[in-house]
């Protein structure tokens, strides 16, 4: 072969290599429109080229896709997309064409920043086995996490963006579309991509999904809270993965879950009453608390699991008083004579309660015997002290205090001695909760500009490992959510220390709220 021919062959081989790399690397924007979408592409690495087709007679889209997964820090799937620059919602009925296949194959409604495989994104993903979840990667190259729905195989799905929050809406069979309780704060810079996608979850396989009744539209943000409807969602989060699951979500307000020591149920307050909700599928039932019908979000369970502490303001001066009653219900027995007092902690031996109380204009930490009697004051610093909770070994009480100018986590011995600061940062940190095995500390963090612990704010659950009752290493973000007051006021660890329960909230514009 002469030199000129060899050079041409090498140049052609190089060009072919460049084209191939482009095909399996960063997706190229397609110029061919597909129904309402501007184009389609295989994102990431796929062994079988995908395609997106529109049937105008049926007003439906059939997507064929391969790809190993939409997960971790890189995605591989077929995507039909439209560039978008506003708040909006994308709704569709979704079904897989074939039965069988990988149980984790996915058909998705997606918003993503770019067509890069590691782009930030949020999707509502219908899996082959019916699992439906809000998946998200909140920054380029970050890991993917999810919030699993408690509704399986819904026929209709929606992804909706309002501001920096993207939420999942689902319609269970025979029911109307409504908020599913899953929402995540992810920032998208305009323009971004919105569309539909398919992933086989098996690099050697190809899957098809049909998207019908597809509707993409702009939505307006609610201007003020009184134009919105509140939704409350009880979620659990697994510490090892930071993945979340919706347990119970309603239009209305409830707060502060406890997880029972046998792992079977959650206890929370709603409309002044105490509710018990099975961890398995079920509806909440009201616990009989007798005359105590104005219970607030400061309640908890004794170490032996038999007694419930409540804080109620239905009697006397209508300020919070601590009572004890059987966990199955009964007549409350008054513990604190002074008010307001708000239960927060129970000593491991079951004999002592810890709580903040306001006395002479100051909120300090107090303890009292479960038999009642005189209370003992543990803190005297100027400013609010709140949220006391015993460590499982009983050596310390953790609490939060604003005494240094910003709310931070502190600890002390049960007699009030050796008070020392645990966290020191630019956030306001509230309600420390120690895992039953004593290995983890979780607390709620507000921005530095937020005073108190108000409702309906951007907040974070943060977690730190404990060693010898001290923070060991870096404090990590466990979850970002819309919440605050009512999210995690009281102990809510699972008995095995692997999960945590909390309440998140959504404010849905009134005209969009489910009827």
């Amino acid at each position: 072969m002469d030199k000129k021919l060899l050079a041409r062959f090498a140049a052609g081989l190089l060009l072919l290599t460049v084209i191939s790399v482009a095909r399996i690397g960063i997706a190229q924007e397609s110029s061919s429109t597909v129904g309402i979408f501007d184009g389609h592409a295989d994102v990431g690495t796929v062994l079988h080229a995908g395609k997106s087709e529109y049937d105008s007679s049926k007003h439906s889209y059939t997507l064929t896709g391969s790809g190993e997964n939409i997960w971790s820090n890189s995605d591989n799937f077929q995507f039909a997309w439209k560039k978008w620059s506003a708040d909006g919602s994308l709704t569709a009925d979704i079904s897989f064409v074939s039965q069988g296949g990988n149980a984790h194959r996915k058909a998705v409604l997606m918003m993503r920043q770019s067509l890069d495989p590691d782009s930030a994104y949020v999707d509502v993903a219908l899996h082959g086995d019916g699992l439906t979840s809000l998946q998200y990667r909140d920054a380029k190259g970050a890991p993917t996490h999810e919030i699993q729905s408690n509704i399986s195989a819904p026929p209709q799905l929606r992804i909706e963006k309002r501001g920096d929050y993207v939420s999942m809406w689902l319609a269970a069979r025979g029911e109307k579309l409504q908020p599913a309780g899953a929402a995540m704060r992810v920032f998208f810079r305009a323009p971004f991509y919105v569309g539909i996608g398919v992933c086989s979850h098996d690099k050697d396989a190809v899957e098809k999904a049909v998207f019908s009744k597809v509707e993409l539209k702009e939505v307006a943000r609610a201007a003020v809270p009184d134009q919105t409807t509140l939704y409350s969602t009880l979620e659990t989060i697994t510490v090892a993965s930071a993945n979340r699951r919706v347990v119970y979500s309603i239009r209305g307000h409830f707060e502060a879950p406890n997880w029972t020591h046998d792992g079977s149920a959650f206890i929370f307050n709603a409309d002044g009453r105490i509710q018990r909700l099975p961890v398995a599928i079920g509806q909440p039932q009201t616990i009989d608390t007798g005359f105590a019908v104005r219970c607030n979000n400061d309640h908890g369970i004794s170490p032996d699991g038999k007694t419930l502490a409540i804080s109620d303001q239905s009697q006397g001066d209508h300020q919070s008083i601590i009572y004890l009653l059987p966990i199955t219900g009964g007549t409350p027995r008054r513990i604190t004579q002074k008010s307001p007092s708000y239960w927060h902690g129970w000593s491991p031996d079951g004999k002592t309660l810890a709580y903040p109380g306001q006395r002479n204009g100051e909120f300090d930490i107090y303890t009292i015997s479960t038999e009642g009697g005189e209370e003992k004051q543990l803190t005297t610093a100027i400013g609010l002290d709140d949220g006391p909770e015993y460590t499982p070994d009983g050596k310390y009480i953790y609490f939060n205090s604003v005494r240094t100018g910003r709310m931070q986590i502190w600890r002390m011995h049960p007699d009030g001695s050796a008070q020392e600061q645990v966290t020191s940062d630019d956030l306001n940190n509230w309600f420390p909760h120690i895992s039953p095995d004593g290995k983890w500390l979780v607390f709620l963090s507000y921005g530095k500009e937020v005073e108190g612990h108000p409702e309906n704010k951007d907040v974070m659950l943060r977690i730190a490992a404990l060693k010898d009752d001290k923070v060991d290493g870096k404090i990590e973000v466990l979850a970002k959510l819309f919440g605050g007051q009512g999210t995690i006021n009281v102990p809510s660890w699972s008995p095995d220390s692997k999960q945590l329960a909390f309440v998140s909230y959504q404010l849905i514009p009134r005209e969009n709220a489910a009827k």
Side-chain angles (χ1 to χ4, degrees):
M1 184 180 294
D2 61 34
K3 292 183 178 180
K4 289 184 178 180
L5 187 58
L6 182 62
R8 289 177 182 174
F9 176 77
L13 183 61
L14 178 61
L15 179 60
L16 180 62
T17 301
V18 170
I19 293 173
S20 298
V21 169
R23 180 176 176 184
I24 66 173
I26 298 174
Q28 304 299 303
E29 292 188 0
S30 168
S31 60
S32 59
T33 59
V34 184
I36 64 171
F37 299 108
D38 298 335
H40 67 94
D42 281 320
V43 175
T45 301
V46 297
L47 298 183
H48 307 282
K51 58 183 178 180
S52 297
E53 301 169 294
Y54 176 62
D55 186 333
S56 58
S57 64
K58 297 181 180 179
H59 303 289
S60 66
Y61 300 80
T62 300
L63 266 62
T64 304
S66 181
E68 192 167 10
N69 209 348
I70 304 172
W71 193 252
S72 188
N73 55 11
S74 184
D75 307 321
N76 314 279
F77 68 108
Q78 168 69 192
F79 187 41
W81 50 265
K82 186 178 184 67
K83 283 191 174 180
W84 198 255
S85 297
D87 285 350
S89 68
L90 176 62
T91 307
D93 292 2
I94 304 176
S95 61
F96 289 97
V97 171
S98 62
Q99 300 296 317
N102 193 299
H104 296 288
R105 66 193 190 277
K106 300 171 185 176
V108 303
L109 307 177
M110 177 179 283
M111 296 178 180
R112 68 187 292 124
Q113 186 62 64
S114 74
L115 298 181
D116 296 348
D118 63 348
S119 170
Y121 81 91
V122 183
D123 71 27
V124 173
L126 174 65
H127 296 65
D129 62 359
L131 172 67
T132 309
S133 61
L134 185 79
Q135 302 181 153
Y136 57 91
R137 181 183 299 123
D138 59 6
K140 183 177 175 63
T144 294
H145 297 292
E146 70 176 349
I147 306 174
Q148 295 182 357
S149 170
N150 57 354
I151 299 173
S152 178
Q156 188 176 45
L157 306 90
R158 174 183 292 170
I159 188 170
E160 182 171 287
K161 176 185 180 298
R162 292 183 187 270
D164 290 340
Y165 279 89
V166 182
S167 62
M168 174 169 63
W169 293 53
L170 303 174
R173 295 193 181 280
E175 297 184 5
K176 293 183 179 180
L177 197 69
Q178 59 185 337
M184 185 60 198
R185 190 166 83 243
V186 177
F187 173 75
F188 289 111
R189 181 182 65 259
F192 54 94
Y193 294 81
V194 59
I196 56 180
V198 167
C199 171
S200 64
H201 199 77
D202 180 344
K203 61 184 177 60
D204 298 316
V206 175
E207 288 287 348
K208 284 186 179 182
V210 176
F211 299 76
S212 57
K213 299 180 183 177
V214 177
E215 181 184 36
L216 175 61
K217 64 179 184 180
E218 289 191 24
V219 297
R221 300 188 202 185
V224 291
D226 63 9
Q227 297 175 359
T228 62
T229 297
L230 179 72
Y231 284 77
S232 303
T233 301
L234 195 159
E235 298 185 52
T236 59
I237 186 166
T238 301
V239 171
S241 65
N243 290 326
R244 295 153 59 175
R245 181 171 178 79
V246 171
V247 176
Y248 177 67
S249 186
I250 62 165
R251 177 178 176 172
H253 184 244
F254 63 83
E255 301 178 305
N258 304 121
W259 203 318
T260 59
H261 300 332
D262 63 3
S264 67
F266 301 104
I267 289 174
F268 57 85
N269 62 288
D271 300 321
R273 307 304 297 270
I274 302 296
Q275 306 283 323
R276 184 184 188 278
L277 175 73
V279 169
I281 293 176
Q283 293 296 313
Q285 301 294 322
T286 300
I287 296 175
D288 177 17
T289 54
F291 60 78
V293 294
R294 293 183 61 190
C295 299
N296 56 47
N297 55 35
D298 298 316
H299 43 77
I301 304 166
S302 62
D304 64 8
K306 296 179 179 180
T307 305
L308 180 66
I310 60 172
S311 304
D312 174 76
Q313 49 206 54
S314 62
Q315 305 297 303
D317 58 5
H318 299 295
Q319 296 193 82
S320 183
I321 297 168
I322 298 173
Y323 300 86
L324 297 182
L325 68 151
I327 197 167
T328 54
T331 302
R333 175 170 60 90
R334 183 168 179 167
I335 301 300
T336 56
Q337 297 305 311
K338 296 181 180 180
S339 61
S341 300
Y342 304 87
W343 180 90
H344 269 273
W346 212 309
S347 64
D349 63 8
K351 296 181 179 180
T352 307
L353 307 179
Y355 57 96
Q358 187 179 32
R359 313 287 184 258
N360 301 317
E362 280 289 333
F363 270 100
D364 286 299
I365 305 298
Y366 295 83
T367 58
I368 195 170
S369 167
T370 53
E371 298 302 318
E374 292 296 319
E375 63 184 15
K376 179 180 179 180
Q377 184 173 354
L378 302 187
T379 66
T380 57
I382 301 298
L384 176 63
D385 294 329
D386 200 353
E389 185 171 312
Y390 285 86
T391 55
D393 59 12
K395 291 181 179 179
Y396 293 96
I397 294 175
Y398 276 72
F399 64 103
N400 50 278
S401 176
V402 75
R403 65 185 66 182
T404 55
R406 185 166 287 133
M407 190 62 74
Q408 297 294 321
I409 306 302
W410 287 65
R411 73 172 189 171
M412 59 185 166
H413 292 308
D415 62 359
S417 63
Q419 296 181 22
E420 59 180 327
Q421 191 167 342
V422 174
T423 66
S424 181
D425 54 35
D426 289 335
L427 300 175
N428 283 295
N429 302 316
W430 288 79
F431 306 132
H433 301 307
I434 299 91
S435 59
D437 62 8
K439 294 181 179 180
W440 299 101
L441 166 68
V442 164
F443 52 90
L444 180 73
S445 293
Y446 289 87
K448 61 182 179 182
E449 73 285 354
V450 179
E451 294 185 6
H453 54 95
E455 60 188 7
N456 301 332
K457 295 292 183 180
D458 292 336
V459 295
M460 296 182 292
L461 296 180
R462 295 203 292 162
I463 188 168
L466 291 178
K467 186 175 182 181
D468 299 325
D469 294 315
K470 290 187 177 181
V471 171
D472 181 36
K474 184 180 179 181
I475 297 172
E476 304 282 354
V477 175
L478 185 61
K480 299 177 183 177
L481 62 139
F482 189 69
Q485 169 74 315
T487 289
I488 192 168
N489 295 58
V490 291
S492 59
W493 280 95
S494 63
D496 61 6
S497 299
K498 294 181 178 180
Q499 297 182 80
L500 197 76
F502 63 95
V503 178
S504 61
Y505 299 94
Q506 288 180 264
L507 292 174
I508 306 296
R510 194 161 294 151
E511 66 273 15
N512 294 85
K515 303 299 183 185

